[in-house]
Amino acid sequence: MTTPPVTVGPTTTAFQAAQVMEQEAVGCVLVTDHGRLRGILTDRDLTVRGLAHGPRPAQPVGDLMTTPVTTVDAGDDLDTAYRTFRNAGVRRLPVLDDGRPVGMLTVDDLLRDVVERLVDLLIPVSRSALRETTV
């Protein structure tokens, strides 16, 4: 997961949020109020809710964010995250610790995990195969 998560307040404007997303090279920000998660604002939210009905760069992200937010707990295992992604059909999962965002888990993070696990499995098999061909 990526830590710390990128956050903005609910009164942050759409324009300011877009600038934060560009500066941080992220596709979403978590909308928090007093450290508590209130919503998630994705690049798609900005496009569909913020621009599709006429550009309103001063509109607060509290009006554009997606809520409720599908999350996982910091104590959850990776299998729980996989199931949550699959069942919810989302690409990003905020990770919460006692209701406060501590990270962001993305489908890309899980893809990296899958590739690393595959490499871990294939290296011994490859070594074994190479030994057999040299004998």
Side-chain angles (χ1 to χ4, degrees), residues 84-133:
T84 304
F85 271 113
R86 187 173 49 248
N87 294 336
V90 296
R91 296 179 49 223
R92 302 168 178 105
L93 283 176
V95 180
L96 305 182
D97 186 11
D98 194 30
R100 298 183 180 278
V102 294
M104 178 69 73
L105 187 60
T106 68
V107 170
D108 291 346
D109 295 327
L110 294 186
L111 181 59
R112 275 190 295 277
D113 176 65
V114 167
V115 169
E116 288 172 8
R117 289 180 189 214
L118 210 56
V119 167
D120 287 346
L121 288 171
L122 292 177
I123 286 176
V125 171
S126 299
R127 287 183 182 147
S128 175
L130 286 173
R131 276 190 292 245
E132 289 177 10
T133 59

Side-chain angles (χ1 to χ4, degrees), residues 6-58:
V6 180
T7 63
V8 297
T11 59
T12 302
T13 67
F15 181 74
Q16 292 168 324
Q19 287 181 314
V20 168
M21 291 166 77
E22 178 186 28
Q23 290 165 356
E24 298 293 330
V26 295
C28 73
V29 291
L30 299 181
V31 181
T32 60
D33 190 18
H34 297 92
R36 295 284 186 190
L37 182 64
R38 298 294 178 233
I40 186 169
L41 181 76
T42 67
D43 45 10
R44 186 173 193 284
D45 292 332
L46 283 172
T47 302
V48 173
R49 295 186 186 132
L51 293 176
H53 303 288
R56 294 172 291 198

